[in-house]
Amino acid sequence: RPCPRARAEVARRLLAWAGIILAVVAADQFTKWLAVDLLAGRPVNLIPGFADLVLVYNKGAAFSLLSDHAHGRWILVGLNCAALAVAGWLVARGSSGRRRGMRLCISLISGGAVGNLIDRLRLGQVVDFVYLHVGDYYWPAFNLADAAISLGGVVLAVLLWRQADSEPTKSGVKPRN
């Protein structure tokens, strides 16, 4: 049975996780509300030849994955809920200060996931509105939740890579490069 200090630390980490999720969700939902209100049929050229604001609805996941599947919406909702449960578990069990950055990344990813989950449950699709392109090359439209997921994922990957690179091998000796 965990001691009161350990339980308080877990509660503090989960509260911080929830706070970041709420901040990301609030910003995401507000920007989506603005996009729906201001961009319907009226794209805005933000940076000529590079960035536009357009209103796009995505029924699938990244790159419209599962958008044509009859139960794609509910598959994505289920996967999203499972991922959030795992994220909460990871945040609750993380201990050292070295893991603070990882918990922040997991919180950004979780906040983005919740923002898109709200759209899926409420609308059956996700509101996207940022469209980046250069010449004939383009990136599919995305939103603030997607940006939080991407930023959290990239930084988490870097942190994990750096952690693995700095850990000694089983023999206790760090390999030379």
Side-chain angles (χ1 to χ4, degrees), residues 84 86 152-153:
L84 287 168
V86 169

Side-chain angles (χ1 to χ4, degrees), residues 60-83:
F63 306 107
S64 297
L65 182 70
L66 291 175
S67 61
D68 294 332
H69 192 282
H71 302 290
R73 171 185 183 189
W74 299 112
I75 291 169
L76 293 170
V77 165
L79 289 172
N80 201 316
C81 290

Side-chain angles (χ1 to χ4, degrees), residues 5-63:
R5 179 180 278 161
R7 284 194 306 258
E9 177 60 23
V10 168
R12 186 194 63 74
R13 284 194 300 266
L14 288 173
L15 191 59
W17 178 61
I20 293 168
I21 288 173
L22 287 173
V24 171
V25 168
D28 173 64
Q29 291 296 302
F30 178 70
T31 57
K32 288 174 180 174
W33 173 78
L34 282 175
V36 169
D37 191 52
L38 300 175
L39 298 175
R42 298 181 301 256
V44 174
N45 186 274
L46 208 55
I47 301 171
F50 180 70
D52 298 327
L53 297 177
V54 298
L55 184 60
V56 177
Y57 292 94
N58 182 0
K59 290 186 179 188
F63 306 107

